[in-house]
Amino acid sequence: MAGTGMIAREFARDLALVEDAELVAVGSRGAERAEAFGAEFAVPRRHGSYEALAADPEVDIVYVASPHPAHLAHTLLFLGEGKHVLCEKPLALNAAQAGEMAAAAAAAGRFLMEAVWSRFTPGYQVMRDLVGGGEIGDVLLVEAEFGFRAPFDPAHRLFDPALGGGSVLDIGIYPVQFAHLLLGAPDGVTAGGIIGATGVDEHVVAVLRYDAGALAVATSSLRADLPGAARITGTRGSLEFPASMWAPEVLWVRTPAAPVRIGGAADGPAPERRIETPLTGIGLHYQVRHVHDRLRAGHLDSDVMPPAESVRVAATLDRVRAVLGVRYPGEASIPVP
């Protein structure tokens, strides 16, 4: 475990649900943090630096839970020491960094996956099966949102440009990856948003356009409490996560009995069915099982969230930020699409 913050703590709790996983070591910027974390979660090996964690011979896979701007350096460090890496989302600040990380993993012959844990939850598995089986026909529109009202604090990572702040990178990745999962990388990107006092995006709606005729709407906000709903509309019906689209436990399927006539009503009401997709824990452990399964099968990447997909998602986030004019310190300018 690299990092001792909130997500690291949640991950550690869920990791206990995986029978063949053991949290053997933790590393942090200082010994005091590592010791406190290790004591709380009974971690036997506690390191006061990330370099010491990377050199630990008892560690097979490192979960990188450090702040966004450190993901690149830490992932390269652990890959360089022969460790497999599960890196918290976003994989990197931008597509260029994500591509560098993917190339490093391939060169080192080590596993690398971005921890887009949503894709491994039961709700997403059911959703993929239904869409892939043609339940709602061809997908025409994908809508997804993630937003909460965060108290403004210019020193907090959510509002600090030096820490990769803003809604797009931190939570906008959830609706964007959702669109990618269903439709792939977009052919065009437009966006509108509100930029806050520190120069980061705080309230954003992005529209992703696909030449085949589909659209996706991705909303992220640090100003508005949103239900976290997601809806997929196809030529034969729709699927909806009414809340918590990042870890859904309920899925609604709506398929009209007959097409709606122009100027008239459908021949019958739209049948609805509710599918329960409960989580165990908070859902972070499903991705760990996937990583273990892939490694046992001899694979060095995921077939659900491969590094190439992470690069594509990062490129879409880059395009959204480019339209909004949001750039992080030291980052090269991003061409506006």
Side-chain angles (χ1 to χ4, degrees):
M1 176 83 70
T4 57
M6 181 187 70
I7 189 63
R9 300 165 73 86
E10 292 179 341
F11 185 89
R13 294 187 188 99
D14 251 32
L15 190 68
L17 300 173
V18 183
E19 299 80 6
D20 61 347
E22 182 183 359
L23 184 52
V24 298
V26 60
S28 185
R29 289 174 294 173
E32 185 176 343
R33 290 170 179 257
E35 285 294 331
F37 188 94
E40 180 177 357
F41 294 100
V43 185
R45 305 169 75 85
R46 306 162 190 179
H47 302 290
S49 74
Y50 295 112
E51 290 76 14
L53 176 63
D56 190 328
E58 297 299 316
V59 174
D60 299 316
I61 308 170
V62 178
Y63 171 60
V64 174
S66 51
H68 304 343
H71 287 182
L72 172 64
H74 289 162
T75 295
L76 296 181
L77 169 66
F78 298 126
L79 291 172
E81 290 291 336
K83 313 300 186 189
H84 303 297
V85 175
L86 174 64
C87 181
E88 185 51 48
K89 59 82 200 160
L91 185 65
L93 288 179
N94 52 47
Q97 289 186 0
E100 184 178 350
M101 295 159 75
R110 290 295 179 265
F111 187 97
L112 171 64
M113 191 181 87
E114 182 179 16
V116 182
W117 57 290
S118 303
R119 291 193 175 197
F120 305 94
T121 59
Y124 271 57
Q125 293 180 40
V126 171
M127 178 268 292
R128 284 199 302 270
D129 289 344
L130 290 172
V131 173
E135 182 80 14
I136 61 170
D138 297 329
V139 176
L140 298 174
L141 178 64
V142 174
E143 302 163 275
E145 63 183 23
F146 194 161
F148 57 88
R149 189 167 180 81
F152 178 70
D153 177 359
H156 192 279
R157 65 174 186 83
L158 288 174
F159 298 97
D160 187 349
L163 295 178
S167 72
V168 168
L169 205 65
D170 196 70
I171 56 177
I173 187 173
Y174 286 100
V176 167
Q177 68 80 28
F178 188 74
H180 270 251
L181 179 61
L182 293 157
L183 295 169
D187 297 297
V189 175
T190 58
I194 305 299
I195 308 303
T198 59
V200 302
D201 53 277
E202 295 184 7
H203 193 53
V204 177
V205 177
V207 178
L208 316 183
R209 179 185 54 78
Y210 297 83
D211 288 347
L215 292 170
V217 181
T219 302
S220 61
S221 182
L222 301 177
R223 295 189 174 194
D225 289 315
L226 302 176
R231 182 168 59 244
I232 309 161
T233 304
T235 53
R236 295 178 50 202
S238 65
L239 305 178
E240 182 180 358
F241 294 129
S244 303
M245 56 80 53
W246 53 91
E249 297 193 87
V250 174
L251 171 65
W252 283 96
V253 184
R254 297 181 174 90
T255 51
V260 176
R261 297 188 301 271
I262 300 298
D267 291 339
E272 296 183 338
R273 72 181 190 272
R274 174 187 172 108
I275 301 175
E276 303 285 343
T277 59
L279 301 170
T280 56
I282 64 171
L284 291 173
H285 62 95
Y286 297 107
Q287 63 187 339
V288 176
R289 298 176 188 275
H290 174 77
V291 173
H292 287 193
D293 289 344
R294 293 294 287 178
L295 286 171
R296 273 194 294 264
H299 300 290
L300 292 178
D301 66 0
S302 167
D303 58 349
V304 176
M305 194 69 200
E309 169 73 339
S310 293
V311 174
R312 289 189 290 267
V313 170
T316 298
L317 298 175
D318 284 354
R319 295 172 76 182
V320 173
R321 288 193 297 112
V323 173
L324 299 173
V326 174
R327 185 159 40 124
Y328 299 123
E331 188 178 41
S333 60
I334 306 169
V336 176

